[in-house]
């Protein structure tokens, strides 16, 4: 039987893809539905959030567009880091692995190339620690390959400080000829064995 685990805290998400050598940007935000769908993803094959042997997942993940709870002015930055009205809320479940995250399916895939692209994700969460981005997609010449094949795992260039908006930056690149169809934001890629309760993080696009 499927179960919904009630959130005890939350997550908000927004992302910008910036090409290293140009000003080209692909922006995903949650005020305009310029994405295909949202959900959860876990790379752990025995995760209760994955289908097993054709059977439905044991647990449903909690992810939804919510109001931004923190538009506060930052005295150090001399600005409000994130003034978006809507962000993506995500429950980081203690039953997921250290690669459990919020999944965003893109309306238009982007191509992974040997040239670095930067993905900026504004993250607000109650727990300090590392974050990671997983890219799901397929090689152009492999017609039978699943678009859910993991093409990269990338840690952010900095750890996330708790209880404030932080711009997490992920440099991504690949061998070329790879289309990325979905991004998975892993807001807490630490070992979940010590987790005693779930928490919520909020994500939004970097401005």
């Amino acid at each position: 039987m499927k179960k919904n685990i009630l959130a005890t805290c939350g997550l908000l998400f927004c992302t910008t893809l910036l090409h290293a050598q140009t000003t080209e940007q692909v922006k995903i935000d949650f005020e305009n539905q310029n994405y295909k769908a949202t959900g959860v993803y876990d790379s752990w094959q025995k995760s209760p959030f994955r289908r097993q042997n054709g059977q439905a997942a044991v647990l449903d993940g909690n992810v939804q567009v919510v109001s931004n709870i923190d538009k506060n002015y930052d005295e150090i930055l001399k600005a409000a880091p994130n003034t978006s009205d809507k962000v993506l809320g995500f429950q980081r479940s203690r039953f997921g692995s250290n690669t459990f995250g919020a999944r965003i399916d893109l309306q238009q895939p982007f191509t992974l190339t040997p040239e670095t692209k930067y993905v900026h994700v504004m993250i607000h969460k109650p727990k300090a620690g590392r974050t990671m981005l997983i890219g799901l997609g397929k090689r152009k010449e492999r017609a039978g390959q699943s678009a859910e094949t993991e093409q990269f795992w990338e840690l952010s260039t900095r750890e996330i400080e708790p209880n404030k908006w932080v711009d997490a930056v992920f440099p991504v690149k690949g061998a070329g000829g790879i289309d990325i169809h979905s991004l998975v934001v892993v807001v807490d890629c630490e070992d979940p064995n010590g987790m005693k309760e779930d928490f919520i993080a909020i994500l939004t696009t970097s401005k």
Side-chain angles (χ1 to χ4, degrees), residues 53-65:
N53 301 316
Q55 300 297 311
V58 175
L59 298 177
D60 287 328
N62 289 330
V63 58
Q64 61 181 310
V65 176

Side-chain angles (χ1 to χ4, degrees), residues 5 19 24 45 131 146 180:
I5 302 172
H19 196 286
E24 176 191 0
Q45 292 297 315
T131 59
S146 169
I180 298 301

Side-chain angles (χ1 to χ4, degrees), residues 65-106:
V65 176
V66 297
S67 296
N68 184 359
I69 60 173
D70 186 358
K71 297 183 183 179
N72 294 329
Y73 182 85
D74 188 297
E75 290 291 344
I76 297 176
L77 296 177
K78 302 301 181 185
N82 181 15
T83 58
S84 300
D85 290 328
K86 298 293 183 181
V87 290
L88 189 67
F90 166 76
Q91 179 183 341
R92 198 305 183 213
S93 171
R94 62 194 182 280
F95 298 110
S97 77
N98 64 337
T99 58
F100 177 67
R103 171 176 173 164
I104 300 92
D105 295 336
L106 309 177

Side-chain angles (χ1 to χ4, degrees), residues 6-200:
L6 296 178
T8 56
C9 320
L11 157 82
L12 310 173
F13 167 92
C14 182
T15 185
T16 298
L17 290 172
L18 180 61
H19 196 286
Q21 303 299 322
T22 73
T23 58
E24 176 191 0
Q25 289 191 18
V26 180
K27 185 176 180 181
I28 305 165
D29 65 63
F30 299 95
E31 294 172 343
N32 307 292
Q33 191 172 340
N34 51 5
Y35 54 91
K36 185 180 293 184
T38 61
V40 301
Y41 179 85
D42 196 339
S43 66
W44 177 33
Q45 292 297 315
K46 295 184 179 181
S47 171
F49 295 96
R50 293 180 70 111
R51 293 176 60 87
Q52 303 290 341
N53 301 316
Q55 300 297 311
V58 175
L59 298 177
D60 287 328
N62 289 330
V63 58
Q64 61 181 310
V65 176
V66 297
S67 296
N68 184 359
I69 60 173
D70 186 358
K71 297 183 183 179
N72 294 329
Y73 182 85
D74 188 297
E75 290 291 344
I76 297 176
L77 296 177
K78 302 301 181 185
N82 181 15
T83 58
S84 300
D85 290 328
K86 298 293 183 181
V87 290
L88 189 67
F90 166 76
Q91 179 183 341
R92 198 305 183 213
S93 171
R94 62 194 182 280
F95 298 110
S97 77
N98 64 337
T99 58
F100 177 67
R103 171 176 173 164
I104 300 92
D105 295 336
L106 309 177
Q107 282 187 346
Q108 295 294 330
F110 71 91
T111 301
L112 202 61
T113 69
E115 190 173 40
T116 302
K117 291 181 173 67
Y118 294 93
V119 180
H120 290 256
V121 181
M122 293 292 288
I123 298 178
H124 191 303
K125 62 176 186 169
K127 179 176 178 288
R130 299 178 301 166
T131 59
M132 183 167 63
L133 190 72
I134 298 175
L136 306 180
K138 58 185 294 186
R139 298 196 64 87
K140 294 178 184 289
E141 76 276 12
R142 296 181 184 173
Q145 188 175 45
S146 169
E148 294 195 354
T149 303
E150 294 172 11
Q151 300 293 346
F152 66 79
W153 289 19
E154 191 65 49
L155 290 171
S156 63
T157 57
R158 60 179 292 188
E159 288 195 6
I160 303 303
E161 303 164 64
N163 302 314
K164 63 188 292 185
W165 283 109
V166 178
D167 184 8
V169 181
F170 304 91
V172 300
K173 62 181 180 179
I178 300 170
D179 283 341
I180 298 301
H181 292 257
S182 304
L183 293 173
V184 179
V185 181
V186 180
V187 298
D188 181 55
C189 58
E190 307 296 344
D191 187 343
N193 287 331
M195 287 184 66
K196 296 182 179 179
E197 62 180 10
D198 299 356
F199 71 80
I200 295 181

